Amino acid sequence: MKKLSIAIGVLCLFGISTAALAQSLFQRCENRKGEIQTMKNQVKQIDNEIVSVNDQIGDLMQQMTDLRRQRTAKRGEKAALQRKIRAEEAGFKRMCSALSRCEAYERKIDRLKTRMEPMAERLRKIHEEIRTRNTEVVRHNQAVDRIENSYAQLGCDNLVPGQTADSTIDRCTNLFKEWNDLQSDINNLKKSVARLQGRYQRVIRKMRAFGIDLARLTKKMREACSHSTRIADLDALEKEHDGYHKIKDELNDISSKVKKFRRLKIVKPVIRMKKKGKPVIKPKKKAKPVIKPKKKAKPVIKPKKKAKPVIRPK
């Protein structure tokens, strides 16, 4: 009985294993079949892609053919245009060779302006100094007029001892001292004007050379480049250059005014007794004014006989 049970158990176990094995094989085969089908589908997809790629290759080859044709056409167009350019350039040179010089002239204008600028700046400074010197001339003129008027009103050239107040003699002496001090300022002004004239002459000599170049360049521009807007620059330069020469007139004018100061002369009056004892005041003829003050003493200048003390030119 026991053996029978064992045998039945073995048979049952074998039957179950066989069924399981059969079921596993089926599943594996189905899986393999599915994998194979998938690969077949991939092959079809690849075939379709190859067809698409071939179509694209065909399109690209057609495009290459078209592009080569366009390239050949463009090369021909370029060659024709280059031939036309050479012909136009030759015609341009024949017709417009004169105008091509305008660019060179305009470059010369720029170079000339650069060369003139330092000299122009120096002349502008000289002109400013002339204005300053003119202001000094006006101030000195006012001082001279005041001294001259007071000198005449006080009768400083005809003082009589015993008849002229000491205060008048003192005022006349002070006027002479003021004039003497003013002469020092006038001398300094004269030297300053002389230096200005020297500086001006040195600069204007160089500017004259620039003026020759400017006139020559302006003539060429007007003849060949009348259309150029740079002619206005040349006109402005010429106007400015002409103005520099007018500075000479201003220098000459101020120099004349300073020389006029130098011609004026106020002689300090002195008291001298004549043989009859009558005191008179006469200036020394052609003598430079000299101040010799003494403590609490009246200044004395001994003039030559028959000389009249006045304000007079040298």
Side-chain angles (χ1 to χ4, degrees):
M1 187 67 182
K2 185 177 179 180
K3 292 181 178 179
L4 180 60
S5 297
I6 293 171
I8 292 171
V10 171
L11 288 172
C12 289
L13 181 60
F14 179 78
I16 293 171
S17 299
T18 302
L21 181 61
Q23 180 65 28
S24 176
L25 179 61
F26 175 79
Q27 185 63 41
R28 285 187 294 167
C29 290
E30 285 297 318
N31 290 340
R32 182 67 59 83
K33 181 180 177 181
E35 292 174 357
I36 292 171
Q37 187 60 44
T38 298
M39 287 187 287
K40 288 181 178 180
N41 292 338
Q42 290 177 346
V43 169
K44 290 181 180 179
Q45 180 64 31
I46 291 172
D47 286 340
N48 292 334
E49 291 176 356
I50 289 173
V51 171
S52 177
V53 169
N54 286 334
D55 290 342
Q56 293 181 35
I57 290 173
D59 292 341
L60 290 173
M61 291 179 68
Q62 183 62 44
Q63 289 181 20
M64 288 181 65
T65 300
D66 293 341
L67 290 172
R68 288 192 182 99
R69 187 180 302 110
Q70 291 179 20
R71 181 177 63 186
T72 301
K74 289 296 180 183
R75 285 176 175 172
E77 184 180 349
K78 175 185 175 182
L81 187 57
Q82 287 177 327
R83 288 192 297 271
K84 185 175 181 181
I85 288 172
R86 287 192 293 271
E88 289 294 329
E89 285 180 339
F92 175 82
K93 288 180 181 179
R94 288 192 300 270
M95 182 177 66
C96 307
S97 58
L99 293 178
S100 64
R101 293 196 296 271
C102 294
E103 294 181 1
Y105 292 155
E106 290 175 356
R107 288 192 294 271
K108 287 184 178 181
I109 293 174
D110 294 331
R111 290 196 295 270
L112 183 59
K113 289 177 67 176
T114 300
R115 291 166 57 204
M116 290 178 66
E117 181 56 31
M119 297 297 102
E121 179 62 24
R122 290 172 64 181
L123 286 170
R124 284 192 287 269
K125 289 182 178 179
I126 290 173
H127 202 199
E128 291 174 1
E129 290 187 42
I130 290 174
R131 294 193 185 98
T132 302
R133 300 290 88 79
N134 264 322
T135 301
E136 294 178 13
V137 167
V138 171
R139 186 173 68 251
H140 292 338
N141 259 326
Q142 293 172 347
V144 167
D145 289 343
R146 178 181 57 80
I147 292 172
E148 284 187 307
N149 292 335
S150 297
Y151 193 87
Q153 290 172 2
L154 292 171
C156 295
D157 59 343
N158 191 28
L159 300 180
V160 180
Q163 298 180 15
T164 303
D166 290 344
S167 60
T168 300
I169 295 174
D170 290 340
R171 289 178 65 186
C172 288
T173 301
N174 289 334
L175 285 174
F176 175 78
K177 184 177 182 303
E178 287 185 52
W179 171 247
N180 193 57
D181 293 340
L182 186 59
Q183 280 281 8
S184 177
D185 293 339
I186 291 173
N187 289 339
N188 292 333
L189 179 59
K190 182 181 180 182
K191 292 176 183 178
S192 177
V193 171
R195 286 194 296 268
L196 276 177
Q197 288 177 315
R199 286 166 54 194
Y200 173 78
Q201 290 300 330
R202 287 191 294 272
V203 177
I204 204 65
R205 278 195 294 268
K206 296 180 180 180
M207 290 299 285
R208 288 193 188 101
F210 292 143
I212 295 172
D213 293 340
L214 179 60
R216 185 183 300 116
L217 186 55
T218 300
K219 180 180 179 181
K220 291 180 179 179
M221 284 289 290
R222 292 191 185 282
E223 290 175 351
C225 315
S226 57
H227 65 284
S228 176
T229 57
R230 299 302 301 277
I231 291 180
D233 292 344
L234 290 172
D235 291 339
L237 281 175
E238 284 190 324
K239 184 177 180 181
E240 185 177 2
H241 189 267
D242 292 340
Y244 297 145
H245 288 279
K246 293 179 181 179
I247 294 177
K248 181 179 179 181
D249 297 333
E250 297 183 39
L251 277 170
N252 290 338
D253 180 63
I254 193 172
S255 179
S256 298
K257 291 177 180 177
V258 173
K259 289 178 180 178
K260 181 180 178 182
F261 285 140
R262 295 287 295 169
R263 287 195 299 268
L264 297 174
K265 190 173 183 180
I266 294 179
V267 179
K268 184 178 180 180
V270 296
I271 301 175
R272 182 183 177 187
M273 300 294 295
K274 287 187 177 182
K275 292 180 180 180
K276 293 182 180 180
K278 185 178 180 180
V280 295
I281 300 174
K282 295 184 178 181
K284 185 183 291 186
K285 187 177 181 181
K286 297 183 180 179
K288 294 184 178 179
V290 179
I291 301 176
K292 294 181 179 180
K294 292 183 180 180
K295 188 175 181 180
K296 296 182 180 180
K298 295 181 180 179
V300 177
I301 299 176
K302 295 180 179 181
K304 291 183 179 180
K305 190 175 182 180
K306 296 182 180 180
K308 295 182 179 181
V310 291
I311 300 173
R312 65 191 176 197
K314 287 183 179 179

PDB file of all heavy atoms in Angstrom, residues 52-64:
ATOM      1  N   SER A  52      13.849  57.148 -48.576  1.00  0.00           N
ATOM      2  CA  SER A  52      13.808  58.594 -48.318  1.00  0.00           C
ATOM      3  C   SER A  52      15.189  59.224 -48.522  1.00  0.00           C
ATOM      4  O   SER A  52      15.310  60.302 -49.116  1.00  0.00           O
ATOM      5  CB  SER A  52      13.327  58.846 -46.883  1.00  0.00           C
ATOM      6  OG  SER A  52      13.354  60.220 -46.588  1.00  0.00           O
ATOM      7  N   VAL A  53      16.225  58.536 -48.030  1.00  0.00           N
ATOM      8  CA  VAL A  53      17.585  59.045 -48.201  1.00  0.00           C
ATOM      9  C   VAL A  53      17.948  59.115 -49.670  1.00  0.00           C
ATOM     10  O   VAL A  53      18.562  60.076 -50.145  1.00  0.00           O
ATOM     11  CB  VAL A  53      18.587  58.182 -47.421  1.00  0.00           C
ATOM     12  CG1 VAL A  53      20.016  58.546 -47.802  1.00  0.00           C
ATOM     13  CG2 VAL A  53      18.371  58.339 -45.922  1.00  0.00           C
ATOM     14  N   ASN A  54      17.592  58.081 -50.404  1.00  0.00           N
ATOM     15  CA  ASN A  54      17.866  58.086 -51.858  1.00  0.00           C
ATOM     16  C   ASN A  54      17.166  59.251 -52.546  1.00  0.00           C
ATOM     17  O   ASN A  54      17.721  59.879 -53.447  1.00  0.00           O
ATOM     18  CB  ASN A  54      17.439  56.757 -52.474  1.00  0.00           C
ATOM     19  CG  ASN A  54      18.389  55.618 -52.123  1.00  0.00           C
ATOM     20  OD1 ASN A  54      19.572  55.850 -51.848  1.00  0.00           O
ATOM     21  ND2 ASN A  54      17.900  54.385 -52.112  1.00  0.00           N
ATOM     22  N   ASP A  55      15.911  59.488 -52.092  1.00  0.00           N
ATOM     23  CA  ASP A  55      15.188  60.627 -52.670  1.00  0.00           C
ATOM     24  C   ASP A  55      15.922  61.934 -52.363  1.00  0.00           C
ATOM     25  O   ASP A  55      16.050  62.816 -53.222  1.00  0.00           O
ATOM     26  CB  ASP A  55      13.764  60.678 -52.106  1.00  0.00           C
ATOM     27  CG  ASP A  55      12.902  59.526 -52.613  1.00  0.00           C
ATOM     28  OD1 ASP A  55      13.290  58.916 -53.631  1.00  0.00           O
ATOM     29  OD2 ASP A  55      11.863  59.242 -51.976  1.00  0.00           O
ATOM     30  N   GLN A  56      16.398  62.061 -51.106  1.00  0.00           N
ATOM     31  CA  GLN A  56      17.129  63.273 -50.726  1.00  0.00           C
ATOM     32  C   GLN A  56      18.430  63.401 -51.512  1.00  0.00           C
ATOM     33  O   GLN A  56      18.810  64.498 -51.931  1.00  0.00           O
ATOM     34  CB  GLN A  56      17.440  63.258 -49.219  1.00  0.00           C
ATOM     35  CG  GLN A  56      16.195  63.370 -48.345  1.00  0.00           C
ATOM     36  CD  GLN A  56      16.546  63.372 -46.863  1.00  0.00           C
ATOM     37  OE1 GLN A  56      17.566  63.913 -46.464  1.00  0.00           O
ATOM     38  NE2 GLN A  56      15.690  62.754 -46.059  1.00  0.00           N
ATOM     39  N   ILE A  57      19.108  62.249 -51.686  1.00  0.00           N
ATOM     40  CA  ILE A  57      20.338  62.271 -52.483  1.00  0.00           C
ATOM     41  C   ILE A  57      20.039  62.739 -53.895  1.00  0.00           C
ATOM     42  O   ILE A  57      20.780  63.540 -54.479  1.00  0.00           O
ATOM     43  CB  ILE A  57      21.010  60.885 -52.479  1.00  0.00           C
ATOM     44  CG1 ILE A  57      21.577  60.590 -51.081  1.00  0.00           C
ATOM     45  CG2 ILE A  57      22.124  60.827 -53.522  1.00  0.00           C
ATOM     46  CD1 ILE A  57      22.103  59.171 -50.932  1.00  0.00           C
ATOM     47  N   GLY A  58      18.939  62.257 -54.419  1.00  0.00           N
ATOM     48  CA  GLY A  58      18.564  62.683 -55.755  1.00  0.00           C
ATOM     49  C   GLY A  58      18.298  64.176 -55.812  1.00  0.00           C
ATOM     50  O   GLY A  58      18.721  64.861 -56.745  1.00  0.00           O
ATOM     51  N   ASP A  59      17.581  64.644 -54.771  1.00  0.00           N
ATOM     52  CA  ASP A  59      17.308  66.084 -54.727  1.00  0.00           C
ATOM     53  C   ASP A  59      18.604  66.874 -54.607  1.00  0.00           C
ATOM     54  O   ASP A  59      18.774  67.910 -55.266  1.00  0.00           O
ATOM     55  CB  ASP A  59      16.397  66.393 -53.541  1.00  0.00           C
ATOM     56  CG  ASP A  59      14.984  65.823 -53.733  1.00  0.00           C
ATOM     57  OD1 ASP A  59      14.627  65.528 -54.898  1.00  0.00           O
ATOM     58  OD2 ASP A  59      14.265  65.673 -52.726  1.00  0.00           O
ATOM     59  N   LEU A  60      19.507  66.393 -53.745  1.00  0.00           N
ATOM     60  CA  LEU A  60      20.774  67.094 -53.564  1.00  0.00           C
ATOM     61  C   LEU A  60      21.606  67.082 -54.839  1.00  0.00           C
ATOM     62  O   LEU A  60      22.256  68.080 -55.169  1.00  0.00           O
ATOM     63  CB  LEU A  60      21.573  66.451 -52.420  1.00  0.00           C
ATOM     64  CG  LEU A  60      20.993  66.667 -51.010  1.00  0.00           C
ATOM     65  CD1 LEU A  60      21.781  65.852 -49.995  1.00  0.00           C
ATOM     66  CD2 LEU A  60      21.037  68.142 -50.636  1.00  0.00           C
ATOM     67  N   MET A  61      21.606  65.990 -55.515  1.00  0.00           N
ATOM     68  CA  MET A  61      22.355  65.921 -56.774  1.00  0.00           C
ATOM     69  C   MET A  61      21.779  66.912 -57.783  1.00  0.00           C
ATOM     70  O   MET A  61      22.521  67.557 -58.523  1.00  0.00           O
ATOM     71  CB  MET A  61      22.328  64.497 -57.325  1.00  0.00           C
ATOM     72  CG  MET A  61      23.134  63.505 -56.484  1.00  0.00           C
ATOM     73  SD  MET A  61      23.085  61.817 -57.127  1.00  0.00           S
ATOM     74  CE  MET A  61      24.016  62.006 -58.636  1.00  0.00           C
ATOM     75  N   GLN A  62      20.432  67.010 -57.790  1.00  0.00           N
ATOM     76  CA  GLN A  62      19.816  67.975 -58.685  1.00  0.00           C
ATOM     77  C   GLN A  62      20.182  69.396 -58.280  1.00  0.00           C
ATOM     78  O   GLN A  62      20.471  70.249 -59.125  1.00  0.00           O
ATOM     79  CB  GLN A  62      18.293  67.787 -58.664  1.00  0.00           C
ATOM     80  CG  GLN A  62      17.551  68.713 -59.626  1.00  0.00           C
ATOM     81  CD  GLN A  62      17.948  68.474 -61.078  1.00  0.00           C
ATOM     82  OE1 GLN A  62      18.056  67.300 -61.502  1.00  0.00           O
ATOM     83  NE2 GLN A  62      18.199  69.535 -61.825  1.00  0.00           N
ATOM     84  N   GLN A  63      20.181  69.629 -56.940  1.00  0.00           N
ATOM     85  CA  GLN A  63      20.574  70.939 -56.450  1.00  0.00           C
ATOM     86  C   GLN A  63      22.024  71.253 -56.809  1.00  0.00           C
ATOM     87  O   GLN A  63      22.362  72.390 -57.172  1.00  0.00           O
ATOM     88  CB  GLN A  63      20.390  71.016 -54.931  1.00  0.00           C
ATOM     89  CG  GLN A  63      18.927  71.051 -54.498  1.00  0.00           C
ATOM     90  CD  GLN A  63      18.797  71.156 -52.990  1.00  0.00           C
ATOM     91  OE1 GLN A  63      19.724  71.564 -52.311  1.00  0.00           O
ATOM     92  NE2 GLN A  63      17.632  70.771 -52.464  1.00  0.00           N
ATOM     93  N   MET A  64      22.905  70.257 -56.671  1.00  0.00           N
ATOM     94  CA  MET A  64      24.305  70.455 -57.038  1.00  0.00           C
ATOM     95  C   MET A  64      24.434  70.818 -58.495  1.00  0.00           C
ATOM     96  O   MET A  64      25.217  71.698 -58.872  1.00  0.00           O
ATOM     97  CB  MET A  64      25.112  69.203 -56.724  1.00  0.00           C
ATOM     98  CG  MET A  64      25.328  68.965 -55.231  1.00  0.00           C
ATOM     99  SD  MET A  64      26.309  67.497 -54.902  1.00  0.00           S
ATOM    100  CE  MET A  64      27.870  67.960 -55.625  1.00  0.00           C
TER     101      MET A  64
END
